[in-house]
Amino acid sequence: MGGRKRALLVGINYPGTKAELKGCHNDVDRMHRCLVERFGFDEDDIRVLSDKDRSGPQPTGANIRRALARLVADARPGDFLFFHYSGHGTRLPAETGQHDDTGYDECIVPCDMNLITDQDFRELVQKVPDGCLFTIVSDSCHSGGLLDSAKEQIGNSTRQNKTQSREPEERPDSGSGSSFRSFLKETVRDAFESEGIHIPRSRHGHSHHGGDDQDEASEQPSGNGRIKNRSLPLSTLIEMLKEQTGKDDINVGSIRMTLFNIFGDDASPKIKKFMKVMLGKFHQGQSGEHDSGGGVMVMVGALAQEFLKAKLEGNEEEAFKPAIEQEVHSVDEVYAGTKAWAPNNGILISGCQTNQTSADATTPQGVSFGALSNAIQTILAGKHGKVTNKDLVMKAREMLSKQGYTQQPGLYCGDENVHVAFIC
């Protein structure tokens, strides 16, 4: 087929940190070989960012964002773009203090903790020219929501047969009241976690091989080796940010502020938008205007207000320039989990659903890999002809279920891309 084939592969093991994984470098090495040998990619058209070699460019938030922007900016109709990410995922709770801001931002976690949000990915894919296909494979936790608003083709609504499915059933009372209670419970848990106090979630009877919303990233033994999930708990993220900054006052409610404070113009565009809105809220408060939010949500937002006050009183207004210059059309644009129209030329294959974790596995022989990445390579190796996106994800689901994993890979894309060949 015509058109240039170009790829960015990112593998982050976070060596020597509390977040250390084992299989992400191997995932990227195997995908690199696969792109060249099976899909005919030119070596010069594959960019790799990994923390395996400390002497080369590192997979920082700024470097990943720049490499993705370059990948898309150089694209032409007929091109095939591919992005593979193996590393931690995390979910940021709401921090604006608005009573109706009750969602989460799904994020990938670069080696420097400069988070890249689901909305960042959506805005990136929107820039892909018509006639160009951009496939994303994210072998990370909570990755089902990573391509913000993309249409779910295989996801939470796609059931395994009842003997295999370990997804918790939707409760009959899961209306808005239940959703709010659930959010409130998450907010309280996150607040305790940020102080180093862990409150376990109910397990829904899933196995030790990844699964529903496991927030522990601890290593667990299995009969076939060792399993660790690729979810970075908020408490660990906060701990690592404290180490990075030397500041001890980071908490749920000021995570986005802290990220902006550390990274400035290199921070996620959504983080910069958040800062601009919070700065506006702060100035409104100073001028005597009332905040429309109320209750516990304002308490969460109060931490951000204190942060802003300290900055402004310290004559650090210049530090806010990257936020002030960021275009924001409405306050709810910065809400956690904000959705907008779905891009139609992006394809996301996720390692699991939004509420699940993905496994980082090590065999007794010491070979480590991500469960999804390994499944993809096994499926492709067993079939020489065309493998469609749907075939790949359904086969991966079946394979992981047979291997005892509870995570369920997902496919998110427009209807026209369900049955096209994986990658190209």
Side-chain angles (χ1 to χ4, degrees), residues 96-117:
T96 62
Q98 295 294 121
H99 66 88
D100 55 346
D101 184 10
T102 59
Y104 283 86
D105 283 327
E106 274 86 30
C107 309
I108 64 170
V109 185
C111 67
D112 60 349
M113 306 294 118
N114 185 3
L115 304 180
I116 300 176
T117 72

Side-chain angles (χ1 to χ4, degrees), residues 83-147:
F83 173 57
H84 177 106
Y85 173 77
S86 279
H88 275 302
T90 196
R91 302 172 83 199
L92 278 189
E95 293 185 320
T96 62
Q98 295 294 121
H99 66 88
D100 55 346
D101 184 10
T102 59
Y104 283 86
D105 283 327
E106 274 86 30
C107 309
I108 64 170
V109 185
C111 67
D112 60 349
M113 306 294 118
N114 185 3
L115 304 180
I116 300 176
T117 72
D118 48 6
Q119 192 171 327
D120 297 341
F121 277 101
R122 179 181 59 79
E123 290 176 0
L124 181 81
V125 174
Q126 283 179 351
K127 295 174 183 174
V128 174
D130 290 339
C132 173
L133 209 55
F134 188 8
T135 303
I136 298 170
V137 170
S138 185
D139 195 349
S140 61
C141 290
H142 314 302
S143 49
L146 199 58
L147 189 51

Side-chain angles (χ1 to χ4, degrees), residues 132-399:
C132 173
L133 209 55
F134 188 8
T135 303
I136 298 170
V137 170
S138 185
D139 195 349
S140 61
C141 290
H142 314 302
S143 49
L146 199 58
L147 189 51
D148 183 22
S149 296
K151 182 174 179 180
E152 176 189 277
Q153 300 290 348
I154 304 172
N156 277 327
S157 61
T158 308
R159 313 294 294 176
Q160 307 270 39
N161 69 56
K162 289 185 179 177
T163 58
Q164 290 178 333
S165 176
R166 300 183 182 91
E167 285 282 314
E169 294 292 335
E170 191 73 26
R171 290 184 175 87
D173 66 344
S174 60
S176 59
S178 174
S179 299
F180 179 78
R181 286 194 297 275
S182 173
F183 168 75
L184 197 58
K185 196 159 62 177
E186 289 291 329
T187 303
V188 172
R189 181 186 286 111
D190 292 337
F192 276 109
E193 271 207 346
S194 70
E195 297 297 329
I197 303 164
H198 174 62
I199 302 174
R201 289 179 169 87
S202 68
R203 294 289 179 177
H204 300 296
H206 56 256
S207 79
H208 53 249
H209 289 25
D212 303 308
D213 228 359
Q214 290 173 294
D215 56 347
E216 284 294 330
S218 58
E219 217 168 78
Q220 303 171 20
S222 84
N224 300 316
R226 298 194 64 85
I227 303 291
K228 185 172 182 176
N229 78 51
R230 291 183 174 183
S231 175
L232 190 68
L234 273 181
S235 53
T236 307
L237 172 66
I238 289 169
E239 232 177 297
M240 293 175 78
L241 288 172
K242 284 179 178 178
E243 287 175 6
Q244 198 166 329
T245 59
K247 296 183 184 296
D248 206 39
D249 58 350
I250 302 167
N251 207 324
V252 174
S254 63
I255 296 173
R256 289 172 179 80
M257 295 281 185
T258 301
L259 292 170
F260 180 81
N261 194 31
I262 298 171
F263 301 110
D265 200 34
D266 282 336
S268 156
K270 188 164 186 184
I271 297 289
K272 289 186 279 190
K273 289 178 182 180
F274 172 86
M275 282 297 300
K276 184 172 184 175
V277 167
M278 295 308 288
L279 194 59
K281 281 185 64 174
F282 178 79
H283 286 315
Q284 281 176 17
Q286 293 292 89
S287 64
E289 294 180 41
H290 292 294
D291 183 4
S292 61
V296 71
M297 304 312 164
V298 168
M299 290 167 58
V300 176
L303 292 165
Q305 301 279 351
E306 288 170 24
F307 181 97
L308 285 168
K309 187 177 179 183
K311 277 279 186 192
L312 291 169
E313 287 177 351
N315 294 317
E316 297 181 50
E317 289 93 340
E318 187 65 23
F320 292 112
K321 193 176 177 185
I324 292 165
E325 292 175 348
Q326 192 73 34
E327 194 175 339
V328 182
H329 299 104
S330 65
V331 173
D332 60 6
E333 195 177 318
V334 306
Y335 282 10
T338 294
K339 304 296 181 189
W341 64 274
N344 59 9
N345 46 0
I347 298 163
L348 170 66
I349 293 176
S350 66
C352 61
Q353 303 306 299
T354 301
N355 67 330
Q356 291 186 317
T357 62
S358 292
D360 188 76
T362 302
T363 68
Q365 294 75 32
V367 178
S368 299
F369 48 76
L372 172 68
S373 295
N374 185 59
I376 288 173
Q377 295 302 328
T378 304
I379 292 161
L380 292 176
K383 187 170 181 181
H384 297 295
K386 171 183 169 181
V387 178
T388 69
N389 291 311
K390 183 175 182 179
D391 288 344
L392 184 70
V393 174
M394 292 306 289
K395 283 184 167 67
R397 280 185 159 220
E398 184 182 355
M399 182 178 293

